[in-house]
Amino acid sequence: QHRSKWASPDIFAYTMLVYLIRNLDHDPLILTAAQLDIGFVCFCAFCVCATVSALGFPLPEAQDDKMPMVEVRQPFLLRCMGKYVIALVATVLAAGFAYLLFLGVQRPVMAFRINERPLYKPYGPLPKEAKAAVDILDVPNMLKSD
């Protein structure tokens, strides 16, 4: 059942990418048109249907009483360290996760920047004299998006 959800995070990534590009529109100098069309709707429907259909598969049956019981042992770390040390480690890891989650929510997830070097000769189509015009128009700053 867990394999049916592999494509669902892509929906979030595509939405964020379209949002990132849509913010670059600075009329009349920079025109961007970003929209999610019928293909995205079909992809979303596929993800939802794949997840729902995976729920229709029955889970494996529990062991019968006729099958021999296997001796159940405690996990290795629990046997070595004890439950109080494991609880302490889990608490420290949870606090670290909460801190990193807090930092991650405050920072941009995606960013878009322009590298000016490929614009000018010998790498790009513009002559080096065009750099002054690009700087006056502040094109790199317009193409910056978080």
Side-chain angles (χ1 to χ4, degrees), residues 100-118:
L100 292 174
L101 179 66
F102 177 74
L103 287 179
V105 167
Q106 291 182 337
R107 295 186 180 172
V109 176
M110 299 176 82
F112 185 81
R113 302 282 189 268
I114 186 170
N115 181 6
E116 293 181 60
R117 187 174 178 201

Side-chain angles (χ1 to χ4, degrees), residues 72-122:
V72 178
R73 294 175 44 183
Q74 289 184 338
F76 178 73
L77 287 177
L78 188 59
R79 282 184 278 144
C80 292
M81 291 195 259
K83 64 181 178 179
Y84 295 111
V85 175
I86 296 293
L88 178 65
V89 169
T91 304
V92 169
L93 288 174
F97 172 79
Y99 174 71
L100 292 174
L101 179 66
F102 177 74
L103 287 179
V105 167
Q106 291 182 337
R107 295 186 180 172
V109 176
M110 299 176 82
F112 185 81
R113 302 282 189 268
I114 186 170
N115 181 6
E116 293 181 60
R117 187 174 178 201
L119 288 176
Y120 310 110
K121 291 194 187 255

